Amino acid sequence: MTAFARNQWYVAAYGREIGRELLGRTILNEPIAFYRTESDDRVVALADRCVHRRYPLTAGRLDGDTVVCGYHGFTYDTGGSCVFVPGQKRVPRTARVRSYPVVEQDSLVWVWIGDPELADARSVPRAPWLADPRWTTVGGMEPIDADYGLLVDNLMDLSHETYLHGGYIGTPEVAETPITTEVDEGAGVVRVSRHMDDAECPPFYARSTGIDGRITRWQDIEYHAPCLYLLHSRIAPVGVVPEPDGSDPNAFHVEITYAITPSTDRHVYDFWAVSRDFAQDDEEVTTFLHDFNRTVVLQDVAALNQLQQALDTERAGYQELSINIDTGGLAARRILVRLAAAGEEPTGTPRSAAAAER
């Protein structure tokens, strides 16, 4: 089981998911209730258990900016303090539920599960295209019944596209092309790149861009442990080298974003989004990319569910085999172990300070 790094930010929801209805999510084994205030539209996160009899607050209702427990009426303000109890005027001093630091940024709602004194909003990693009108984005979330580390492994090694996602995003060249890996241990960032000079154009790109023929294809992964995964994807007809800044009109740019949020020891939220800088007003392309990418994500869901079931039946002490393509994934595992261990120390994690300095 992959240990949890608690003093870190995790994506709890898309901003569009949270409104004036209580939304429940379990993150790092902690049930949390989310809602937006009437007064200033900010997101509130409270422990989803009434202090009285542990009834889920998400089974209650909102009254203005307060949450009313649906069992006995205990009422909580946005900071988690109880402001009303039934049958008496005095509210017990200990009548409060935990509130969690929240940051809403780039269309995502992030929550801090660890020591609130260590929560630094400046350390939340960025995915600015998700909220940039110059990009068109589709996305969703799929739950997976597996250790969240398996999803990290899956995304760090894209050679599986050739086999698991053939006919969608995978072509032979993905598995055949060597990778380069860079690791920034202090910042908790792993970068894995695969540049294909002459590759088959998979349906995902052929149908969305209209390219007919072989392509130059760049896949540049940027993983910000523990939660945010960015895939900077660039394609162009063979002979055209895509420019990262988008200056080449013959290149197509896609930003693929994943947020990997552990729910429980055996359950992970797989938030995904596809952002593009072309055919932005074409609803047919938008619908195609949403449906096609969701199919790809569901293929991963099925594979990881099956993998977890297989691992559950493995004998103790079994040995894994790793090869060159696993370099990025192994680095990510190493960083996750370090972050989890750092979260057990009263001084907090080194990543928050490192990220704040960037």
Side-chain angles (χ1 to χ4, degrees):
M1 182 184 74
T2 306
F4 295 151
R6 298 189 61 81
N7 286 320
Q8 299 291 324
W9 292 100
Y10 291 92
V11 171
Y14 290 103
R16 63 178 180 270
E17 293 184 274
I18 301 178
R20 293 294 297 162
E21 297 289 335
L22 291 160
L23 173 70
R25 289 271 156 85
T26 298
I27 300 176
L28 275 61
N29 288 318
E30 297 196 17
I32 305 175
F34 296 89
Y35 67 97
R36 286 190 185 276
T37 60
E38 280 186 329
S39 56
D40 55 9
D41 201 42
R42 65 186 175 91
V43 176
V44 174
L46 301 178
D48 191 17
R49 294 291 185 267
C50 179
V51 72
H52 178 228
R53 290 293 181 264
R54 312 306 294 166
Y55 194 71
L57 292 183
T58 47
R61 62 180 176 84
L62 293 175
D63 181 7
D65 287 346
T66 62
V67 180
V68 181
C69 178
Y71 195 15
H72 293 103
F74 278 62
T75 303
Y76 302 90
D77 65 16
T78 58
S81 295
C82 186
V83 296
F84 171 81
V85 298
Q88 62 185 62
K89 292 183 178 180
R90 186 184 70 85
V91 177
R93 180 177 54 84
T94 57
R96 61 178 299 110
V97 298
R98 181 180 178 185
S99 65
Y100 296 82
V102 171
V103 170
E104 187 169 8
Q105 176 178 281
D106 301 330
S107 299
L108 300 172
V109 174
W110 297 78
V111 64
W112 180 273
I113 302 298
D115 182 350
E117 295 298 320
L118 299 176
D120 182 355
R122 295 171 299 173
S123 67
V124 178
R126 300 298 307 269
W129 43 85
L130 295 178
D132 190 330
R134 293 172 296 181
W135 294 79
T136 298
T137 298
V138 295
M141 188 276 283
E142 301 297 334
I144 305 176
D145 296 322
D147 183 322
Y148 86 98
L150 297 183
L151 180 56
V152 176
D153 283 347
N154 171 277
L155 294 173
M156 295 304 293
D157 175 15
L158 294 182
S159 68
H160 78 276
E161 289 183 351
T162 299
Y163 306 98
L164 188 60
H165 305 306
Y168 291 87
I169 59 175
T171 67
E173 294 81 11
V174 179
E176 293 168 358
T177 303
I179 61 169
T180 60
T181 304
E182 298 178 11
V183 182
D184 187 336
E185 292 279 357
V189 177
V190 181
R191 295 179 174 86
V192 179
S193 295
R194 178 182 276 107
H195 295 172
M196 295 159 271
D197 294 329
D198 187 346
E200 178 185 336
C201 187
F204 182 85
Y205 290 114
R207 290 177 58 181
S208 60
T209 66
I211 291 179
D212 182 17
R214 297 182 69 80
I215 59 172
T216 298
R217 184 179 183 183
W218 289 10
Q219 293 177 322
D220 294 304
I221 295 169
E222 186 180 333
Y223 173 56
H224 296 258
C227 187
L228 190 66
Y229 172 98
L230 311 174
L231 172 59
H232 311 296
S233 180
R234 308 288 185 263
I235 70 162
V238 165
V240 176
V241 178
E243 294 292 338
D245 64 359
S247 59
D248 194 323
N250 295 311
F252 297 86
H253 303 73
V254 177
E255 296 290 348
I256 298 175
T257 306
Y258 282 89
I260 306 164
T261 300
S263 175
T264 68
D265 298 334
R266 290 287 305 275
H267 190 90
V268 57
Y269 297 124
D270 183 2
F271 294 91
W272 60 271
V274 176
S275 306
R276 70 183 191 274
D277 69 350
F278 58 90
Q280 292 171 288
D281 298 323
D282 192 321
E283 290 298 326
E284 185 175 344
V285 171
T286 297
T287 299
F288 166 74
L289 288 177
H290 175 277
D291 295 348
F292 215 68
N293 199 73
R294 183 169 185 267
T295 297
V296 169
V297 171
L298 289 176
Q299 289 173 335
D300 281 333
V301 170
L304 295 180
N305 286 346
Q306 187 173 21
L307 176 57
Q308 183 65 68
Q309 292 169 8
L311 293 175
D312 288 342
T313 65
E314 280 286 356
R315 69 188 187 281
Y318 73 90
Q319 294 293 316
E320 279 189 331
L321 172 67
S322 295
I323 57 176
N324 289 341
I325 59 174
D326 299 310
T327 306
L330 293 175
R333 289 186 187 183
R334 188 169 61 248
I335 290 172
L336 291 175
V337 169
R338 176 176 63 78
L339 293 179
E344 298 173 359
E345 300 172 2
T347 54
T349 68
R351 184 193 184 286
S352 294
E357 293 171 359
R358 291 201 300 272

